[in-house]
Amino acid sequence: MKNIFTYSSAIALGLALVAAPDADAQQFSKRKQYNSVGFSLNAMNYFGDITPNTNFTSLRAGATRVSAGVSITRRFYPRVSGRFGLTYGRITGDDALATKDVSDPDARFRRNRNFSFRNDIFEASAVAIVDLIENRNNYLKRPDFVPYVFVGVAGFYNSPQGLYTDGTYVDLQPLKTEGQETAYSKYQLSIPFGGGIRYRINRNFDASLEIGWRKTFTDYIDDVGGKYTALSKISGTPQQAYFGNGITLSQTGEYAGFTGQPNGGVAQRGDTGNKTDWYIVTGVTLNYILTPRIKNPKFR
């Protein structure tokens, strides 16, 4: 995923520079600029600790959840538009599903950890869209098919939950399941980037198919980021011990044994290294172009 982010961002940035306003683009008058509003139906997936591998082979239909969004787009130049969007969706992960891949070398670890979660994502994003086919005319003469790329910034609210023994979902962030001194923030930033293709339906409607990655800066949208911690640090409630799989330390400081759910004597709870979680939004958007008002010159 790190390479995907690096290469895709470089391509998007390069295209944005190529499409940056030049002398000819300045001739794209305000009369040719226009706004559109969009309504999206999406599928949302997640890459992180509760997946077999952090790549496309990890996508599971059973873990895909429906997402929806609204947006407003402003066309500024022949190739460049700006879009502000609001999106709501849910991501999920389950070790029990991940371990169905028998070739996964970490299958035993995942069976022992046996963790699952869900997380509702509320996202606000602002992105720059670069069309690969320019249109120097007004919206009435726009091309029928236009591939495009985008990159921007987003903020999102999230609160991972786990299924407790009584059948209820419990907010995991306040539990500090890995013994953190302070709970991680529910408000996070991400970098959305991706691409799609837009199709002109008629005078005022466009439809687009788009896929967008969200590179986050947190490892806790699944509440799993590091190692198991001492039971003494998470023994405040039964829920903390259950979800944190608290461990008991010997007098020498070594891991003497595990309590709670079975975990095979493995101290590592999440991926090693400084990794962060990702989520992906793939969907279809219907855009309605707001007919611009054209003021005719007045003659006296």
Side-chain angles (χ1 to χ4, degrees), residues 6 14 124 185:
T6 302
S185 176

Side-chain angles (χ1 to χ4, degrees), residues 2-300:
K2 182 177 180 180
N3 288 337
I4 291 177
F5 171 65
T6 302
Y7 299 149
S8 300
S9 299
I11 293 173
L13 179 59
L15 290 171
L17 292 175
V18 171
D22 54 19
D24 293 332
Q26 297 299 333
Q27 299 175 7
F28 191 75
S29 65
K30 290 185 177 181
R31 298 180 112 198
K32 296 179 181 179
Q33 296 176 353
Y34 57 88
N35 300 321
S36 63
V37 293
F39 302 90
S40 304
L41 185 63
N42 312 308
M44 188 172 282
N45 293 93
Y46 135 92
F47 288 146
D49 298 276
I50 317 298
T51 52
N53 300 289
T54 312
N55 54 48
F56 278 111
T57 63
S58 296
L59 291 179
R60 297 289 188 272
T64 302
R65 294 295 182 269
V66 176
S67 164
V70 295
S71 61
I72 182 166
T73 304
R74 173 71 173 178
R75 184 172 182 82
F76 292 105
Y77 300 105
R79 289 182 186 269
V80 181
S81 302
R83 182 178 71 197
F84 175 79
L86 298 173
T87 303
Y88 163 76
R90 173 174 291 177
I91 58 174
T92 66
D94 192 334
D95 277 331
L97 297 176
T99 55
K100 290 183 178 181
D101 184 358
V102 295
S103 64
D104 178 10
D106 295 328
R108 179 176 178 273
F109 167 74
R110 295 179 185 280
R111 285 195 299 269
N112 290 329
R113 182 174 59 185
N114 194 30
F115 187 71
S116 65
F117 82 100
R118 72 180 190 184
N119 194 343
D120 291 342
I121 305 288
F122 298 86
E123 178 193 86
S125 63
V127 302
I129 301 172
V130 180
D131 290 348
L132 304 188
I133 298 175
E134 71 175 8
N135 174 30
R136 295 184 178 276
N137 297 305
N138 59 25
Y139 77 101
L140 294 173
K141 297 181 179 180
R142 65 191 188 278
D144 289 336
F145 285 94
V146 178
Y148 63 89
V149 295
F150 67 89
V151 64
V153 63
F156 66 95
Y157 171 85
N158 76 113
S159 181
Q161 295 180 319
L163 185 62
Y164 194 47
T165 54
D166 61 1
T168 61
Y169 278 93
V170 176
D171 288 340
L172 299 174
Q173 184 256 15
L175 300 181
K176 304 178 186 178
T177 54
E178 294 183 2
Q180 304 97 322
E181 293 296 327
T182 58
Y184 50 84
S185 176
K186 293 183 179 180
Y187 298 91
Q188 299 288 341
L189 294 176
S190 70
I191 299 179
F193 65 92
I197 186 167
R198 187 168 59 250
Y199 170 67
R200 170 178 173 167
I201 299 176
N202 56 30
R203 172 190 174 104
N204 286 96
F205 283 97
D206 285 341
S208 60
L209 176 64
E210 179 178 294
I211 179 171
W213 290 264
R214 270 62 170 175
K215 187 268 186 281
T216 75
F217 299 91
T218 176
D219 197 18
Y220 284 102
I221 63 174
D222 49 17
D223 194 62
V224 176
K227 295 183 178 182
Y228 293 101
T229 190
L231 183 61
S232 60
K233 292 185 178 181
I234 58 171
S235 58
T237 67
Q239 293 177 342
Q240 284 180 305
Y242 179 80
F243 289 111
N245 278 338
I247 64 174
T248 303
L249 297 180
S250 68
Q251 292 182 352
T252 60
E254 300 295 333
Y255 294 107
F258 291 80
T259 62
Q261 302 174 31
N263 43 45
V266 180
Q268 193 66 37
R269 186 169 185 252
D271 288 337
T272 58
N274 185 23
K275 296 184 179 181
T276 57
D277 297 329
W278 297 63
Y279 61 96
I280 299 176
V281 181
T282 307
V284 177
T285 301
L286 182 66
N287 284 290
Y288 176 74
I289 296 175
L290 303 174
T291 304
R293 294 182 179 180
I294 301 176
K295 297 181 179 180
N296 295 318
K298 296 181 179 180
F299 297 95
R300 296 181 178 178

